[in-house]
Amino acid sequence: MAHRPTADAVVVGGGVIGLGIAWRAASAGMTVTVVDEAPGRGASWAAAGMLAPVTEVHYGEGPLLALNLAAAGRWPSFAAEVEEASGRPVGYRPGGTLAVARDADDNAALEDLYRFQLRCGLEVERLRSRECRQLEPGLHPGIRGGVLAAGDHQVDNRALVQALLAACERAGVRLVAGRAAALAVEGDRVTGVVLAAGGSPAGGAASGPSPSSPTGETIPSGAVVLAAGCWSGGLGGLAAEALPPVRPVKGQLLYLRGPADQPLCSRNVRGLEVYVVPRGDGRVVVGATVEEQGFDTTVTAGAVHDLLRAALELLPDTAELELTETVVGLRPGSPDNAPMLGPAGPQGLVVATGHYRNGILLTPVTADAVAELLATGQVPELIAPFGPGRFAGRVPAGTARGTP
Ligand code: FAD
C-alpha cells in the first residue's frame, strides 16, 4: 500500500547529514520525509564534534581539504541559523586547537605536519613548550612543543542533533520511525522507499529494532536521498554498482566530567594518539580509536585504558575527573576518506554519505549542496569532485551490511 501524499524527497537516515539535508530542503519549500528508527543516534551521537580541517589534514587529501575549509567557513552562520530555526543551542565554541608533542619523536612528527600545513597555506603557529603551557597551564611539564590551529573549533554534536531534529519539525519535515529495507525503482527511476516490517509510517518516536524484510509498504517520492551513514551500502532494490562503497570504521570515545569553573583545558588539545575536547560546562570528550572491526560496537577495556593513558600523558589532571560514559560509533568510511555526494544509479537517487571522520564538520556544506541539487537538478560546483561515480569499477560496491 502506498502512502499519500507523495513527498518531493524521502531521506533515508536521520543523522546530522540526513537531518541537515531535510531541514534545508524543507526550508526551501520541498515536502520532505525522513525515515529512521533512531534518528541522531548513529555516528552523529558518538562524535567528538571537532571542526578541525587544519589539524585533521592528511597527505593526499587535497580536494577534501578544500571542502573541509569551505565547511569550517560556513559554521558560524550555520550554527546561528540552526539555533534560530530550532530555538535550541548547538554549542558552537570557537576556541582553536592546540596539537602538542610528548617527546622528541612526537615533536619530529608534529614538525613534519606543521611544514605540510604551511605548504597547504593553512593558518598554524609553531609554539615552544613554555608557550604551550602559557596557553594551557594544565599541560604536562614535559610537553616538548606544539602547533596552534587557531581556526579549528568545536560544536556539541549531541546538541546539534537535537537542534536539527527540532528545526526539521518546525520546517514541516515528516519523521517516519522505521527502517528502509529497499528503494522502489521503476524502469530507470527511483519512485520511493520500501519500509522494513515493524516500521511506523505514521511517524512518531523512534521504535526498537525492526526485522529487515520489506513489508511492501512504500513511501512514494520523486527523489530519494541515501544518507544512512555506514549502513548506506546495505539497502535492497539497487544494482550493486549504484550502492555507495561505504564501510563502518569503529571509534571508541569517553565522556569525563569535572568542575565547570576549573576546566581541564580551555581549547581542544590533541596529541598523536588522543584528543581532548572541553565542552565548557565541565564535560570533557576524550577520543578516539580508529578500528576496522566491521559493525562491532563492543566497548573494550584496552581502548578505555589507552585513551585514558594518552590523555593523562598530555593533561595529568584528567585523573581527577569522573568517567561518565563510554561511547562507540561507526564512522561511514569511503575508499578515499572523502564523502560521496551526488546522483547515483537510477534517476532521482542522490547519495550523501561516506563523511568518515569529518561528518560533523561537513554538515553545513552537505546540507546546502544536496538541498540545492534536489531543488535544481544541478550538481553544485563545490561537491562536483565528490560524485559517488568516482569509484565505479574500482571498489566492490554494496558490500556493507548490518543493522543500525
Ligand atoms: P550517522 O550519524 O551514522 O546516521 C546514519 C543514520 O542512518 C542513523 O541514525 C541510522 O539509524 C540510520 N539508518 C541506518 N540504516 C537505515 C535504514 N535502513 N533506514 C533508515 N535509517 C537508517 N566528525 C567530525 O566532523 N568531527 C569529529 O570530531 C568527529 N569525531 C568522531 C568521533 C567518533 C568516535 C566517531 C564514530 C565519528 C566522529 N566523526 C566526527 C564523524 C561523524 O560522526 C560522522 O561522519 C557523521 O556523524 C556521519 O553522519 P551521518 O548522518 O552520515 O551518519
Side-chain angles (χ1 to χ4, degrees):
M1 190 187 85
H3 299 283
R4 303 289 171 195
T6 298
D8 292 328
V10 174
V11 180
V12 178
V16 284
I17 298 302
L19 293 175
I21 293 166
W23 170 53
R24 286 306 217 197
S27 302
M30 298 180 78
T31 314
V32 184
T33 296
V34 172
V35 178
D36 195 327
E37 63 187 346
R41 293 296 172 141
S44 302
W45 193 254
M50 288 180 299
L51 309 173
V54 174
T55 36
E56 283 277 333
V57 69
H58 281 66
Y59 299 103
E61 294 182 0
L64 179 58
L65 174 62
L67 189 67
N68 285 347
L69 288 170
R74 288 278 295 107
W75 256 100
S77 57
F78 184 77
E81 288 164 37
V82 180
E83 290 186 344
E84 168 78 25
S86 65
R88 301 180 64 111
V90 299
Y92 175 69
R93 294 188 76 213
T97 297
L98 178 62
V100 295
R102 279 170 321 184
D103 54 28
D105 286 349
D106 273 14
N107 215 21
L110 201 57
E111 179 67 19
D112 282 350
L113 177 64
Y114 170 67
R115 295 196 175 281
F116 178 60
Q117 288 165 328
L118 287 181
R119 285 200 298 281
C120 293
L122 299 172
E123 190 198 330
V124 277
E125 187 183 352
R126 191 73 163 109
L127 301 180
R128 297 170 201 278
S129 168
R130 187 173 40 82
E131 295 168 315
C132 292
R133 298 194 68 227
Q134 275 167 357
L135 287 179
E136 293 295 348
L139 281 170
H140 193 285
I143 290 298
R144 297 293 286 262
V147 172
L148 179 66
D152 276 8
H153 304 313
Q154 64 153 301
V155 67
D156 181 342
N157 47 291
R158 294 180 172 186
L160 174 66
V161 160
Q162 308 279 20
L164 283 173
L165 275 166
C168 279
E169 192 182 352
R170 284 188 177 182
V173 173
R174 179 171 169 248
L175 180 63
V176 171
R179 193 151 65 84
L183 302 187
V185 180
E186 284 174 21
D188 65 350
R189 271 212 76 83
V190 159
T191 55
V193 170
V194 184
L195 296 180
S200 159
S207 60
S210 311
S212 58
S213 59
T215 59
E217 291 187 279
T218 301
I219 306 173
S221 178
V224 173
V225 179
L226 185 46
C230 70
W231 298 276
S232 300
L235 251 70
L238 286 175
E241 56 273 16
L243 287 166
V246 67
R247 72 182 195 287
V249 182
K250 179 180 176 183
Q252 300 189 57
L253 174 150
L254 311 174
Y255 269 77
L256 311 178
R257 180 181 285 282
D261 57 353
Q262 293 168 41
L264 183 68
C265 50
S266 57
R267 55 179 61 68
N268 305 340
V269 172
R270 50 191 307 163
L272 287 190
E273 297 171 358
V274 74
Y275 52 72
V276 178
V277 180
R279 287 283 189 245
D281 59 1
R283 285 177 300 155
V284 175
V285 181
V286 174
T289 64
V290 179
E291 305 170 62
E292 298 283 353
Q293 300 280 359
F295 288 93
D296 172 56
T297 53
T298 313
V299 175
T300 62
V304 175
H305 169 268
D306 290 349
L307 289 170
L308 287 176
R309 180 192 47 74
L312 278 155
E313 285 174 3
L314 301 185
L315 294 154
D317 286 350
T318 303
E320 307 304 322
L321 305 186
E322 179 188 1
L323 172 61
T324 55
E325 192 182 344
T326 57
V327 186
V328 180
L330 300 173
R331 305 172 183 88
S334 77
D336 62 2
N337 300 337
M340 293 168 260
L341 303 171
Q347 283 179 44
L349 175 62
V350 175
V351 166
T353 188
H355 292 76
Y356 189 36
R357 55 178 193 266
N358 288 308
I360 307 298
L361 169 64
L362 289 170
T363 298
V365 288
T366 303
D368 285 345
V370 174
E372 186 183 332
L373 169 58
L374 290 170
T376 65
Q378 303 295 314
V379 175
E381 205 176 318
L382 186 64
I383 62 166
F386 303 99
R390 71 187 186 278
F391 301 118
R394 276 179 50 194
V395 180
T399 48
R401 301 280 170 209
T403 309

